[in-house]
Amino acid sequence: MVSKQGKTLIGVYKADGGLIGEVSYFLGHLVGVRNCSLCDVTHSPFKKKAEFKKFQARLLENHQLEVSLVHMNERSESELAASKGREPCVLLQHEDGSMSMFLDYEELAAAKGSVRSFEKLVESRIAIYL
Protein backbone atom coordinates (compact mmCIF):
# COMPACT_ATOMS: atom_id res chain seq x y z
CA MET A 1 0.00 0.00 0.00
CA VAL A 2 1.29 3.44 -0.92
CA SER A 3 1.78 5.78 2.01
CA LYS A 4 -0.69 8.64 2.17
CA GLN A 5 1.57 10.66 4.46
CA GLY A 6 1.61 14.30 3.45
CA LYS A 7 -1.52 14.17 1.28
CA THR A 8 -4.53 16.32 2.09
CA LEU A 9 -8.11 16.39 0.88
CA ILE A 10 -9.26 19.96 0.32
CA GLY A 11 -12.99 20.51 0.15
CA VAL A 12 -13.92 23.67 -1.73
CA TYR A 13 -17.32 25.10 -0.87
CA LYS A 14 -19.43 26.90 -3.47
CA ALA A 15 -19.77 29.82 -1.11
CA ASP A 16 -17.65 32.68 0.17
CA GLY A 17 -16.41 32.80 3.73
CA GLY A 18 -16.66 35.69 6.14
CA LEU A 19 -19.75 37.25 7.64
CA ILE A 20 -21.17 38.63 4.39
CA GLY A 21 -20.47 35.42 2.48
CA GLU A 22 -21.97 33.22 5.18
CA VAL A 23 -25.11 35.33 5.56
CA SER A 24 -25.51 35.60 1.79
CA TYR A 25 -25.26 31.83 1.38
CA PHE A 26 -27.58 31.12 4.32
CA LEU A 27 -30.31 33.44 3.04
CA GLY A 28 -29.88 32.29 -0.55
CA HIS A 29 -30.07 28.67 0.55
CA LEU A 30 -33.26 29.36 2.54
CA VAL A 31 -35.04 30.78 -0.50
CA GLY A 32 -33.62 28.17 -2.86
CA VAL A 33 -31.31 30.28 -5.02
CA ARG A 34 -27.96 29.09 -3.57
CA ASN A 35 -26.79 25.54 -3.11
CA CYS A 36 -23.56 23.82 -2.16
CA SER A 37 -23.64 20.04 -1.94
CA LEU A 38 -20.40 20.03 0.07
CA CYS A 39 -21.97 22.41 2.62
CA ASP A 40 -24.90 20.00 2.85
CA VAL A 41 -22.51 17.15 3.73
CA THR A 42 -20.38 19.00 6.26
CA HIS A 43 -22.80 21.35 8.01
CA SER A 44 -26.23 21.55 9.55
CA PRO A 45 -27.80 24.98 9.16
CA PHE A 46 -25.71 26.44 11.98
CA LYS A 47 -22.59 24.33 12.62
CA LYS A 48 -20.37 21.51 11.42
CA LYS A 49 -22.03 18.11 11.71
CA ALA A 50 -20.67 15.93 14.53
CA GLU A 51 -20.84 12.96 12.17
CA PHE A 52 -18.56 14.78 9.73
CA LYS A 53 -16.05 15.59 12.48
CA LYS A 54 -15.95 11.88 13.38
CA PHE A 55 -15.38 11.02 9.71
CA GLN A 56 -12.45 13.46 9.57
CA ALA A 57 -10.90 11.78 12.61
CA ARG A 58 -11.35 8.29 11.10
CA LEU A 59 -9.79 9.40 7.82
CA LEU A 60 -6.76 10.74 9.64
CA GLU A 61 -6.43 7.68 11.85
CA ASN A 62 -7.03 5.05 9.16
CA HIS A 63 -5.36 6.70 6.16
CA GLN A 64 -3.18 9.51 7.54
CA LEU A 65 -5.23 11.80 5.31
CA GLU A 66 -6.20 15.23 6.59
CA VAL A 67 -9.27 17.13 5.41
CA SER A 68 -9.18 20.88 4.95
CA LEU A 69 -12.27 22.91 4.02
CA VAL A 70 -12.07 26.27 2.26
CA HIS A 71 -14.52 28.80 0.90
CA MET A 72 -14.17 30.12 -2.65
CA ASN A 73 -12.67 33.43 -1.51
CA GLU A 74 -10.16 31.67 0.79
CA ARG A 75 -8.41 29.46 -1.80
CA SER A 76 -4.68 29.54 -2.41
CA GLU A 77 -3.50 30.13 -5.97
CA SER A 78 -2.97 26.40 -6.56
CA GLU A 79 -6.39 25.55 -5.09
CA LEU A 80 -7.99 28.20 -7.29
CA ALA A 81 -6.22 26.90 -10.41
CA ALA A 82 -7.37 23.33 -9.71
CA SER A 83 -10.98 24.16 -8.83
CA LYS A 84 -12.11 27.40 -10.51
CA GLY A 85 -15.50 26.90 -12.09
CA ARG A 86 -15.76 23.38 -10.68
CA GLU A 87 -17.07 24.22 -7.20
CA PRO A 88 -18.05 22.54 -5.00
CA CYS A 89 -15.42 19.84 -5.20
CA VAL A 90 -12.80 17.96 -3.25
CA LEU A 91 -9.17 18.23 -4.34
CA LEU A 92 -6.30 15.95 -3.46
CA GLN A 93 -3.10 17.79 -2.61
CA HIS A 94 -0.11 15.54 -3.22
CA GLU A 95 3.14 15.54 -1.25
CA ASP A 96 4.80 17.74 -3.89
CA GLY A 97 2.05 20.36 -3.56
CA SER A 98 0.36 19.55 -6.85
CA MET A 99 -3.43 19.22 -6.91
CA SER A 100 -5.84 16.90 -8.65
CA MET A 101 -9.61 16.54 -8.65
CA PHE A 102 -10.70 13.90 -6.13
CA LEU A 103 -14.49 14.36 -6.16
CA ASP A 104 -16.36 16.64 -8.52
CA TYR A 105 -19.62 18.51 -8.03
CA GLU A 106 -21.71 15.70 -9.57
CA GLU A 107 -20.29 13.14 -7.14
CA LEU A 108 -20.88 15.49 -4.22
CA ALA A 109 -24.47 16.05 -5.35
CA ALA A 110 -24.96 12.27 -5.39
CA ALA A 111 -24.17 12.18 -1.65
CA LYS A 112 -27.39 14.18 -1.07
CA GLY A 113 -26.06 15.74 2.13
CA SER A 114 -25.31 12.39 3.75
CA VAL A 115 -22.00 12.11 5.60
CA ARG A 116 -22.22 8.32 5.27
CA SER A 117 -22.67 8.51 1.48
CA PHE A 118 -19.81 11.00 1.26
CA GLU A 119 -17.62 8.68 3.32
CA LYS A 120 -18.38 5.79 0.95
CA LEU A 121 -17.37 7.95 -2.01
CA VAL A 122 -14.12 8.98 -0.34
CA GLU A 123 -13.28 5.43 0.75
CA SER A 124 -13.94 4.03 -2.73
CA ARG A 125 -11.72 6.69 -4.28
CA ILE A 126 -8.97 6.01 -1.73
CA ALA A 127 -9.12 2.32 -2.61
CA ILE A 128 -8.61 3.15 -6.28
CA TYR A 129 -6.11 6.00 -6.23
CA LEU A 130 -4.22 5.90 -2.96
Side-chain angles (χ1 to χ4, degrees), residues 16-27 71 74:
D16 284 337
L19 182 60
I20 293 172
E22 297 283 342
V23 170
S24 172
Y25 177 79
F26 180 76
L27 294 175
H71 293 92
E74 299 167 338

Side-chain angles (χ1 to χ4, degrees), residues 97-109:
S98 64
M99 305 262 177
S100 59
M101 186 61 61
F102 190 77
L103 295 172
D104 65 21
Y105 61 91
E106 290 177 349
E107 293 165 313
L108 290 173

Side-chain angles (χ1 to χ4, degrees), residues 15-80:
D16 284 337
L19 182 60
I20 293 172
E22 297 283 342
V23 170
S24 172
Y25 177 79
F26 180 76
L27 294 175
H29 190 69
L30 278 178
V31 297
V33 297
R34 304 272 317 260
N35 185 44
C36 172
S37 52
L38 181 59
C39 296
D40 295 342
V41 169
T42 63
H43 284 76
S44 66
F46 300 105
K47 63 181 183 170
K48 190 182 280 187
K49 293 178 180 177
E51 187 180 0
F52 186 79
K53 290 179 185 180
K54 290 176 185 174
F55 165 65
Q56 283 181 288
R58 283 192 304 274
L59 202 55
L60 185 58
E61 182 179 333
N62 297 339
H63 301 288
Q64 298 75 49
L65 196 55
E66 292 190 37
V67 177
S68 171
L69 301 166
V70 297
H71 293 92
M72 289 177 24
N73 64 332
E74 299 167 338
R75 293 177 282 187
S76 68
E77 288 184 31
S78 57
E79 292 164 351
L80 180 62

